[in-house]
């Protein structure tokens, strides 16, 4: 039921405030949200950046009073790697899904120029994964595991001098993507006087280099005072330890040294309690909201603009998503047609070039063929001429041979008597030669016989004389 007219108060933005005459029930809406949130649970993602051995794992274990069993890292990695581990923690009836992302090998390389680039790529990849889930037709953001980084704890080495160039470059490249809280790790290694000077030096360098770190919000009256004070303590100088030492009548977490004991939860010794209160107890939800409303929205806007989506058209008029989609679709279609036409023209041009090359090659082959045919014809003509000459010579030879045979036959017929006489004389000469040979043979045999008889006679004489000589 509406209140009387006198209860209506006009507002500058066009809304009117009405008073209620009785209980309605929407005052329990915060309780409903609390119950729903408790049932759903919360997620919180922490990115720890710092050199190996700067105390990252020990501090995280100290913040959440547990041991996450983070493996020990080496100093000899060739590049920076990010290692994400997710845990489920429960305190009272509140369930927290905690993701710790550690930068393994950060600052250990000789060339540290691009050491921060894997970190930037990782943060952008988590934003892109969430954006792709949002753009799905059937999305499930309620059950989606949000891996976007809510806070970056940047560990600064306690040198006591100034920030390193790598620290400035890394924080400058990350300040628009994540909430950065600078931390001086292992702050018990320098004196209190040096520590305060070091803090002032760090803040001065961050301001002079335009690095935007996370400032605890002061617009909420309930936490504005404490957050304002804590903003003045940045960067936090912390000491972490999971070992308990007995001091007095109670056990406390501390680090023992020959010169004394440093208590982790003693605010006079370090800023560990301040960090835990600001990070977990007071501003965890604000870190989540800042990540979604500021850093993710900035990434989302840039990505959608890259994809061609605009809220305002060329005439400064609002453009709906459907209109932007159709315009982009038409633009892509025209671009596709243009590229297709370019490819077609390139194809036609290449075909023409290939045809010209083939025609030129064909012409060269044809020219060579014609040249070879001419040579063949010339050789053929020469061979035919030689063949004709040889045939003429053969004919002349045959003719001469026939004439010679004819002449020979005529000569043999005209002189047969001369031939017979010559044959008789030849036979007589041969007989005379045979007789002479026979006489020679006889004479040799006679001589031989005479010599043989003489030898035999001499032999017989020797035989006769030999016994006489033996008797004497």
């Amino acid at each position: 039921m509406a209140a009387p007219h006198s209860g209506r108060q006009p507002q500058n933005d066009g809304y009117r405030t009405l008073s209620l005459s009785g209980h309605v029930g929407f005052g329990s809406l915060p309780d409903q949200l609390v119950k729903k949130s408790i049932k759903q649970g919360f997620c919180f993602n922490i990115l720890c950046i710092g050199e190996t051995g700067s105390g990252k794992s020990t501090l995280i274990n100290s913040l959440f009073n547990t041991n996450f069993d983070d493996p020990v890292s080496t100093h000899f990695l060739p590049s920076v790697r990010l290692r994400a581990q997710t845990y489920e923690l429960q305190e009272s009836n509140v369930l927290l899904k905690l993701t710790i992302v550690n930068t393994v090998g950060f600052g250990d390389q000789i060339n540290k120029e691009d050491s921060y680039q894997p970190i930037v790529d990782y943060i952008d990849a988590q934003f892109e994964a969430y954006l792709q889930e949002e753009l799905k037709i059937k999305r499930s953001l309620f059950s989606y595991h949000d891996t976007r980084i809510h806070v970056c704890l940047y560990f600064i080495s306690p040198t006591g001098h100034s920030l390193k160039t790598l620290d400035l470059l890394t924080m400058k490249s990350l300040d628009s993507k994540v909430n950065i809280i600078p931390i001086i790790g292992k702050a018990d290694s320098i004196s209190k006087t040096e520590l305060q000077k070091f803090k002032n030096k760090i803040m001065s360098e961050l301001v002079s280099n335009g690095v935007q770190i996370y400032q605890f919000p002061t617009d909420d009256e309930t936490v504005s005072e404490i957050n304002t004070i804590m903003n003045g303590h940045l960067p936090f100088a912390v000491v972490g330890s999971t070992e308990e030492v007995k001091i007095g009548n109670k056990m406390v977490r501390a680090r023992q040294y020959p010169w004394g004991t440093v208590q982790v939860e003693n605010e006079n010794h370090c800023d560990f309690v301040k960090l835990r209160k600001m990070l977990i107890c007071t501003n965890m939800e604000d870190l989540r909201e800042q990540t979604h409303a500021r850093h993710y929205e900035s990434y989302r806007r840039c990505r959608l603009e890259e994809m061609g989506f605009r809220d305002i058209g060329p005439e400064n008029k609002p453009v709906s998503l459907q209109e932007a989609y159709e315009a982009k679709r038409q633009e892509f279609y025209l671009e596709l047609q243009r590229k297709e036409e370019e490819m077609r023209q390139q194809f036609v041009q290449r075909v023409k070039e290939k045809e010209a090359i083939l025609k030129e090659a064909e012409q060269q082959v044809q020219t060579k063929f014609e040249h070879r045919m001419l040579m063949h014809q010339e050789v053929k003509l020469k061979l035919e001429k030689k063949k004709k000459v040889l045939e003429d010579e053969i004919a002349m030879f045959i003719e001469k041979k026939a004439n010679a045979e004819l002449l020979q036959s005529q000569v043999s017929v005209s002189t047969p008597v001369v031939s017979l006489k010559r044959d008789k004389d030849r036979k007589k000469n041969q007989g005379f030669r045979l007789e002479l040979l026979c006489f020679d043979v006889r004479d040799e045999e006679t001589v031989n016989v005479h010599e043989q008889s003489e030898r035999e006679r001499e032999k017989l004489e020797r035989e006769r004389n030999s016994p006489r000589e033996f008797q004497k």
Side-chain angles (χ1 to χ4, degrees):
M1 183 175 179
H5 182 70
S6 59
R8 298 175 182 175
Q9 299 176 359
Q11 299 292 329
N12 294 331
D13 54 4
Y15 296 99
R16 294 180 300 172
T17 302
L18 303 178
S19 59
L20 303 177
S21 60
H23 176 73
V24 176
F26 58 80
S28 63
L29 183 59
D31 298 331
Q32 298 176 32
L33 291 175
V34 169
K35 291 179 182 179
K36 182 178 179 180
S37 299
I38 291 175
K39 182 179 179 181
Q40 181 182 357
F42 301 89
C43 69
F44 192 64
N45 306 319
I46 301 175
L47 172 64
C48 299
I49 301 178
E51 297 179 357
T52 305
S54 58
K56 301 186 295 295
S57 301
T58 304
L59 180 64
I60 294 298
N61 292 339
S62 302
L63 282 173
F64 292 94
N65 284 330
T66 187
N67 186 7
F68 292 105
D69 295 327
D70 191 25
V72 178
S73 303
T74 178
H75 289 270
F76 304 103
L77 294 176
S79 61
V80 180
R81 294 188 295 106
L82 279 84
R83 182 172 59 214
Q85 295 177 309
T86 302
Y87 310 90
E88 285 189 355
L89 308 178
Q90 187 168 357
E91 186 178 28
S92 299
N93 60 342
V94 178
L95 180 65
L96 177 66
K97 185 178 289 186
L98 178 67
T99 300
I100 307 296
V101 182
N102 193 9
T103 54
V104 183
F106 180 80
D108 291 338
Q109 294 75 31
I110 296 176
N111 184 7
K112 302 179 179 63
E113 183 178 358
D114 297 327
S115 295
Y116 61 87
Q117 192 58 47
I119 304 173
V120 175
D121 295 340
Y122 179 84
I123 296 174
D124 288 342
Q126 311 317 307
F127 284 152
E128 182 66 23
Y130 193 87
L131 176 62
Q132 293 301 322
E133 184 65 26
E134 275 190 339
L135 294 178
K136 287 182 180 179
I137 296 176
K138 185 179 180 181
R139 57 186 184 177
S140 56
L141 293 176
F142 179 79
S143 59
Y144 176 76
H145 179 206
D146 187 5
T147 57
R148 295 173 297 176
I149 301 299
H150 299 124
V151 63
C152 169
L153 301 181
Y154 195 94
F155 287 75
I156 301 170
S157 299
T159 60
H161 301 293
S162 61
L163 288 172
K164 299 178 182 178
T165 304
L166 177 61
D167 297 331
L168 290 172
L169 288 174
T170 304
M171 284 192 278
K172 183 64 178 177
S173 62
L174 296 178
D175 61 357
S176 62
K177 300 177 180 294
V178 68
N179 304 308
I180 300 176
I181 298 179
I183 293 174
I184 301 174
K186 296 184 177 181
D188 53 344
S189 60
I190 55 177
S191 64
K192 286 189 175 181
T193 305
E194 292 176 343
L195 182 59
Q196 189 57 45
K197 291 180 180 179
F198 190 38
K199 283 187 174 184
N200 296 335
K201 181 68 174 178
I202 290 173
M203 294 305 297
S204 175
E205 290 184 351
L206 291 176
V207 172
S208 62
N209 287 278
V211 178
Q212 300 293 326
I213 63 173
Y214 176 72
Q215 295 289 321
F216 303 115
T218 57
D219 52 354
D220 188 353
E221 295 180 356
T222 57
V223 294
S224 61
E225 183 178 357
I226 185 64
N227 281 347
T228 302
I229 296 172
M230 290 303 169
N231 284 329
H233 285 85
L234 290 173
F236 292 127
V238 297
V239 176
S241 177
T242 56
E243 298 179 0
E244 292 188 347
V245 178
K246 186 175 183 180
I247 298 179
N249 295 326
K250 61 179 181 179
M251 300 294 292
V252 296
R253 286 182 297 168
R255 302 184 73 89
Q256 285 187 323
Y257 297 99
W259 45 263
T261 303
V262 178
Q263 299 180 32
V264 173
E265 298 182 4
N266 189 336
E267 294 191 39
N268 293 323
H269 292 179
C270 66
D271 297 331
F272 175 81
V273 175
K274 298 182 180 67
L275 172 64
R276 185 172 62 184
K277 186 175 183 180
M278 291 294 100
L279 179 65
I280 300 175
C281 303
T282 307
N283 298 298
M284 179 182 283
E285 183 58 30
D286 184 73
L287 289 166
R288 286 158 46 89
E289 289 180 0
Q290 286 289 321
T291 299
H292 182 78
R294 179 187 168 195
H295 301 299
Y296 171 70
E297 284 299 321
S298 175
Y299 177 85
R300 178 178 175 275
R301 181 179 67 253
C302 293
R303 286 287 290 121
L304 292 178
E305 288 177 354
E306 289 176 2
M307 295 164 66
F309 295 102
R310 298 287 187 277
D311 293 332
I312 299 176
E315 299 178 357
N316 292 329
K317 293 182 179 180
V319 179
S320 65
L321 182 62
Q322 181 66 25
E323 292 175 353
Y325 171 77
E326 291 296 334
K328 195 65 179 177
R329 182 175 179 274
Q330 184 66 19
E331 180 182 348
F332 278 128
Y333 180 72
L334 295 175
E335 181 69 14
L336 179 62
Q337 286 186 330
R338 185 183 65 80
K339 288 185 177 181
E340 286 181 352
E341 182 64 22
E342 288 181 357
M343 293 179 66
R344 189 185 67 80
Q345 292 179 358
Q346 290 178 0
F347 176 76
V348 172
Q349 181 65 26
R350 290 183 179 180
V351 169
K352 289 181 179 179
E353 293 175 357
K354 195 67 176 178
E355 286 180 350
I357 294 172
L358 291 175
K359 286 182 179 179
E360 183 179 358
E362 183 181 0
Q363 187 176 1
Q364 292 177 358
V365 172
Q366 184 66 25
T367 304
K368 289 182 180 179
F369 176 75
E370 292 175 356
H371 178 67
R372 297 288 176 86
M373 287 298 295
L374 290 174
M375 292 177 63
H376 176 71
Q377 292 294 334
E378 292 177 358
V379 172
K380 185 177 179 181
L381 290 173
K382 290 180 180 180
L383 291 174
E384 287 179 353
K385 288 181 180 179
K386 289 182 178 180
K387 181 181 178 182
K388 187 176 180 181
V389 171
L390 289 174
E391 288 177 350
D392 293 342
E393 290 179 354
I394 291 171
M396 291 177 63
F397 176 77
I398 292 172
E399 185 178 356
K400 288 180 179 180
K401 181 180 179 182
N403 294 331
E405 290 178 351
L406 180 61
L407 290 173
Q408 187 176 2
S409 63
Q410 290 177 358
V411 171
S412 61
V413 171
S414 59
T415 57
V417 178
V418 177
S419 298
L420 291 172
K421 187 177 181 179
R422 288 178 179 173
D423 291 338
K424 288 180 180 181
D425 293 339
R426 190 181 300 114
K427 288 179 180 180
K428 286 181 180 181
N429 292 332
Q430 289 177 354
F432 180 73
R433 289 176 183 172
L434 287 171
E435 290 177 356
L436 290 176
L437 288 171
C438 290
F439 284 124
D440 292 337
V441 169
R442 291 193 196 101
D443 293 340
E444 288 180 0
E445 289 178 352
T446 303
V447 172
N448 292 334
V449 169
H450 179 73
E451 291 178 353
Q452 186 177 3
S453 60
E454 287 292 329
R455 287 195 295 270
E456 289 179 355
R457 194 179 295 113
E458 291 177 358
K459 184 178 180 182
L460 290 173
E461 276 304 319
R462 286 194 299 273
E463 290 177 355
R464 290 192 194 102
N465 295 327
S466 56
R468 293 175 184 177
E469 293 176 358
F470 181 75
Q471 291 174 3
K472 290 178 180 182

